[in-house]
């Protein structure tokens, strides 16, 4: 009657952890109860069973940047880190700004991904926003208010026009909030410095605050819904209002300018490493933030070894986000239920990823087995991204034991998911849903 029943599980439901069994049929959770009979059983050995994590900010590259990451390696890193759904961002080569490039990315992901995925539309002058919305993109952005990677910076007028369209479509505008002018001026003054830490000074807190203030003002005028990507400063927390959602990255929660010495140019990302005060303020202000997203942005070791101004910005993170947060749970820093909200329930709800983010009857059978007593240091050689390095080397982490996507085991200490098992999750604008 059922395809599979998980026995001896401690299920992390929305409000409680309960001892119960989980029955799966056709990739969905169909029953949560005690003593469900079935021939096909997996014994969870009293491990915690969490919903699969939903990471709404990844850069899985592929296409012309396949040497950095492809959909198979990116999604392998995801499942080994307990992430079962991702949303890919548009600054790829080619950028996801037209139906043609969207279709090419969709085909590539459908052939190679192990995890389910959404795709965001890129916002530049002339981007086919309405058509992309109908194709089922998850959201718009990240919209680069300053140049970061991919030459997708937009000026104020283009931003305002995009907000008008996004408001008409009832979509979400995801903002990379950095102010171009401040960066240009600061960088001019600092360009002869060779110490990597100068990079943080080239994109100061005011850079994020100025861009966020502008985006909030413009979006408010036309009623566009805003989501702030990778919020990173203590001042930005005060700008969050009821209408705005936001995310924070594990690198801004676990790393700071103190790490420049250890990381060198490998610590370069946008927005940059902030002060210890910012880092601590982000932990203290988590109640104002909606979700944690990795901004998984892989670059090779060779690329990162250049001087601080030439090295590309970005760090890999999709595989280490949940493990780092679970170590924080173990250390009593945050409650497990909050981590699940930040990393599964809230992102799925806010970005309308149907069937995802929660263990409940009717949802997809995406989940992760974890043992909170098994804390280990992160080691780059165990990770699956093509990047081949991590800024979190040696830090405490609790990695999953097993990961399931729609009832299939995709990770059990090894990657066992098959290329192409992952499915596209159509967004709200899709006129003909492709699945289901
Ligand atoms: O550090 C970053 N890397 N920030 C971004 O906004 C883009 C990303 C990338 O694509 O490498
Ligand atoms: Zn960004």
């Amino acid at each position: 009657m059922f395809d599979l029943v998980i026995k001896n599980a401690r299920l992390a439901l929305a409000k409680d952890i309960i001892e119960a069994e989980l029955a799966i049929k056709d990739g969905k959770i169909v029953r949560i109860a005690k003593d469900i009979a079935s021939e096909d059983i997996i014994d969870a050995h009293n491990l915690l069973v969490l919903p699969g994590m939903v990471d709404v900010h990844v850069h899985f590259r592929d296409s012309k940047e396949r040497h950095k990451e492809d959909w198979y390696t990116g999604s392998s890193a995801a499942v080994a880190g307990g992430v079962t759904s991702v949303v890919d961002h548009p600054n790829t080569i080619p950028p996801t700004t037209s139906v043609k490039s969207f279709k090419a990315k969709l085909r590539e992901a459908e052939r190679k991904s192990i995890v389910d995925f959404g795709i965001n539309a890129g916002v530049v002058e002339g981007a086919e926003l309405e058509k992309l919305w109908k194709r089922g993109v998850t959201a718009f952005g990240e919209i680069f208010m300053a140049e970061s990677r991919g030459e997708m910076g937009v000026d104020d007028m283009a931003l305002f026009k995009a907000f008008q369209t996004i408001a008409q479509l009832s979509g979400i505008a995801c903002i990379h909030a950095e102010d171009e002018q401040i960066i240009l001026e600061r960088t001019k003054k600092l360009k002869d410095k060779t110490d990597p830490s100068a990079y943080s000074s080239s994109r100061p807190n005011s850079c994020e605050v100025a861009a966020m203030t502008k985006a909030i003002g413009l979006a408010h005028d036309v009623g566009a819904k805003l989501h702030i990507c990778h919020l990173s400063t203590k001042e930005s927390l005060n700008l969050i209002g009821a209408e705005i959602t936001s995310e924070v990255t594990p690198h801004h929660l676990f790393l700071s300018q103190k790490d420049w010495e250890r990381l060198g140019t490998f610590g370069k990302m946008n927005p940059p490493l902030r002060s210890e005060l910012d880092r601590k303020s982000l932990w203290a202000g988590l109640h104002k933030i909606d979700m944690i997203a990795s901004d998984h942005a892989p670059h090779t070791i060779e690329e990162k070894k250049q001087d601080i101004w030439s090295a590309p910005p970005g760090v890999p993170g999709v595989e280490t986000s949940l493990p780092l947060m679970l170590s924080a749970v173990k250390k009593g820093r945050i409650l497990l239920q909050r981590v699940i909200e930040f990393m599964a329930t809230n992102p799925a709800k806010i970005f309308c990823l149907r069937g995802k983010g929660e263990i409940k009857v009717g949802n997809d059978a995406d989940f992760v087995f974890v043992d909170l007593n098994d804390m280990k240091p992160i080691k780059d050689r165990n990770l699956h991204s093509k990047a081949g390095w991590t800024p979190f080397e040696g830090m405490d982490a609790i990695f999953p034991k097993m990961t399931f996507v729609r009832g299939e085991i995709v990770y059990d200490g090894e990657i066992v998911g098959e290329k192409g098992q992952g499915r596209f999750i159509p967004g709200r604008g899709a006129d003909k849903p492709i699945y289901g």
Side-chain angles (χ1 to χ4, degrees):
M1 172 185 183
F2 303 117
D3 297 334
L4 183 66
V5 170
I6 312 277
K7 295 249 179 206
N8 295 322
R10 290 191 295 128
L11 303 178
L13 307 185
K15 297 265 177 294
D16 262 323
I17 294 176
I18 63 162
E19 286 181 20
E21 292 169 8
L22 197 60
I24 299 157
K25 175 100 186 135
D26 297 330
K28 297 211 178 284
I29 300 168
V30 289
R31 230 177 128 195
I32 297 173
K34 302 237 164 160
D35 299 319
I36 308 175
S38 173
E39 298 197 335
D40 291 297
I41 288 170
I42 287 186
D43 192 333
H45 298 292
N46 276 320
L47 293 180
L48 267 174
V49 178
L50 317 182
M53 301 296 131
V54 177
D55 189 340
V56 296
H57 196 147
V58 304
H59 300 269
F60 276 179
R61 316 289 194 209
D62 216 322
S63 196
K64 295 215 162 59
E65 290 188 312
R66 201 164 291 154
H67 66 287
K68 294 176 192 274
E69 197 77 288
D70 64 43
W71 275 91
Y72 178 67
T73 52
S75 62
S76 296
V79 295
V83 172
T84 54
S85 304
V86 297
V87 178
D88 190 61
H89 279 239
N91 59 336
T92 35
I93 307 177
T96 321
T97 49
S98 67
V99 170
K100 185 163 177 253
S101 60
F102 167 81
K103 279 165 85 178
K105 184 179 278 190
L106 180 61
R107 272 199 300 274
E108 210 164 37
E110 281 181 329
R111 275 198 296 115
K112 299 187 200 169
S113 184
I114 305 176
V115 292
D116 289 353
F117 57 92
I119 294 175
N120 270 4
V123 174
V124 291
E125 201 99 44
E128 299 174 347
L129 302 186
E130 288 98 339
K131 286 186 185 161
L132 287 164
W133 184 239
K134 287 201 175 146
R135 289 274 162 175
V137 293
T138 308
F140 298 90
E142 48 184 309
I143 303 176
F144 292 95
M145 293 180 70
E147 198 50 61
S148 179
R149 259 204 88 245
E151 292 168 18
M152 292 181 77
V154 288
D155 63 21
D156 295 355
M157 203 52 218
L159 185 66
F160 185 65
K161 279 200 222 148
F163 283 170
Q164 283 176 316
T165 309
I166 294 166
Q168 275 160 14
L169 298 171
S170 309
I172 301 177
C174 304
I175 303 295
H176 178 116
E178 290 193 287
D179 185 272
E180 180 92 9
Q181 224 35 54
I182 298 178
I183 297 172
L184 291 175
E185 270 166 40
R186 286 288 188 113
T187 309
K188 224 189 307 173
K189 289 200 188 112
L190 291 162
K191 69 177 186 323
D192 295 330
K193 300 241 183 256
T194 53
D195 181 346
S197 68
Y199 195 74
S200 286
S201 317
S202 74
R203 303 170 100 102
N205 287 23
S206 59
C207 189
E208 181 165 297
V209 172
M212 252 178 90
T213 308
K214 186 189 283 176
I216 291 169
L218 295 178
H220 183 77
D221 265 3
V222 293
K225 170 103 188 58
L226 275 195
H227 174 77
I228 306 297
C229 297
H230 39 55
L231 183 139
S232 67
T233 81
K234 66 176 190 314
E235 296 84 3
S236 310
L237 289 165
N238 300 326
L239 297 175
I240 297 284
E243 299 291 294
I244 298 162
T245 57
S246 64
E247 70 192 34
V248 64
T249 65
H251 47 267
H252 290 118
L253 287 173
F254 287 88
L255 305 175
S256 71
Q257 289 172 28
K258 275 201 342 210
D259 293 285
W260 273 120
E261 206 179 320
R262 178 176 64 88
L263 292 171
T265 56
F266 289 77
K268 175 174 173 178
M269 79 279 291
N270 296 332
L273 291 172
R274 301 292 186 195
S275 69
E276 268 296 275
L277 179 61
D278 287 303
R279 193 182 71 78
K280 290 183 180 147
S281 305
L282 292 178
W283 277 97
L286 273 179
H287 59 281
K288 296 189 179 176
I289 295 173
D290 299 277
M291 66 190 81
I292 294 170
S294 69
D295 193 7
H296 177 77
H299 300 286
T300 66
I301 292 174
E302 281 310 303
E303 289 165 339
K304 291 297 272 188
K305 270 185 176 163
Q306 301 170 73
D307 71 85
I308 189 63
W309 307 108
S310 315
V315 295
V318 69
E319 189 166 351
T320 44
S321 298
L322 178 67
L324 284 166
M325 291 309 294
L326 290 179
S327 77
V329 170
K330 184 67 187 170
K331 292 174 186 179
R333 208 161 179 196
I334 185 167
L335 291 173
L336 179 66
Q337 299 294 345
R338 295 293 287 147
V339 171
I340 294 172
E341 274 168 35
F342 282 133
M343 301 192 68
T345 327
N346 291 352
K349 211 179 277 170
I350 288 167
F351 286 99
C352 290
L353 304 173
R354 281 181 287 257
K356 305 298 187 189
E358 202 180 327
I359 296 181
K360 67 173 186 194
V361 170
N363 264 8
D364 289 347
D366 297 347
F367 35 76
V368 191
F369 290 3
V370 300
D371 176 358
L372 287 186
N373 292 318
D374 189 14
M375 190 143 72
K376 298 192 180 96
I378 294 175
K379 294 212 161 65
D380 54 13
R381 65 171 181 275
N382 296 335
L383 301 176
H384 296 79
S385 167
K386 271 190 199 172
W389 61 279
T390 170
F392 306 110
E393 182 75 17
M395 295 176 73
D396 288 337
I398 296 171
F399 283 93
K401 300 286 174 200
M402 259 200 195
T403 306
F404 294 70
V405 172
R406 281 177 283 100
E408 304 278 343
I409 301 174
V410 287
Y411 176 78
D412 63 1
E414 305 285 328
I415 305 295
V416 292
E418 307 241 327
K419 279 187 179 179
Q421 224 172 297
R423 286 187 188 168
F424 179 53
I425 310 167
R428 282 181 294 122
D431 38 16
K432 295 187 260 121
I434 301 171
Y435 299 104

